[in-house]
Amino acid sequence: MPAMTATAKKGLAVFSLFVIGAVALAGVFALQRDSGMPDDLRGIAFANPAQLQGVALAGAKGAITFPATAQSRWILLALGYTHCPDICPFMLGNLAEVEAELRGRLDSTEMPQFVFLSVDPARDTTALLAEYVAYFSDSFVGLTGPRQAIDRVAKQLGAFYRYGPKDSDGAYGVDHSAEIFLIDPYGRLFGRFQPPLDPQETALKFESARQFFQQTKT
């Protein structure tokens, strides 16, 4: 796994740059306010989970339609890119800690799928993505696709990304949403977590989301 001690503090600081974007997007989704919503999900779960339309993406195993609702699995999705200097390594390391916490609580059939969606398809091949996410967990999935497909996913999530200028060597950065998007087994945007994530607290909230989903699914 890449060393993240040096980047963790920087990553935490850089997250503040994305808070403004998160606040601006908050109005897109109404939060659940009725008495049925567990208190620990307020500010995370949405009142009316938005159904995501399937988008053709690609991973190490070939083309897929995302989200693959036939799998009936929860998904925790992060956006980023492999050349990201700080936020993405910190975020994926953080998610690996959440995954480890969940493995101590859930059966394998109950585990969510952790997905890293690259918004930099020009540099991030599926092979490179597979190698990159494996540094953090051998169960993480890396996906990407044409810009048009990535734009469709980002729009449905209420996420954003923006390419920076190229330097003299042709290198560039990409600003992107840092939230972790929670997608339910029906392929709906159920909620989102704001990093950094406390592994134990996030695991408890995920279990609460699963229970609430079981109670309210139609």
Side-chain angles (χ1 to χ4, degrees), residues 1 33 54 56 60 78 84 112 120 126-127 129 150 154 156 158 161-162 165 184 192:
M1 179 183 296
R33 295 298 182 187
C84 183
D120 187 18
T126 55
L129 273 172
I150 294 170
Q156 292 186 77
Y161 70 97
R162 179 177 59 249
D184 71 23
R192 60 188 171 200

Side-chain angles (χ1 to χ4, degrees), residues 126-148:
T126 55
L128 177 59
L129 273 172
E131 181 179 1
Y132 183 75
V133 298
Y135 280 119
F136 303 93
S137 171
D138 58 9
S139 68
F140 283 10
V141 173
L143 298 176
T144 191
R147 284 283 303 279
Q148 184 177 15

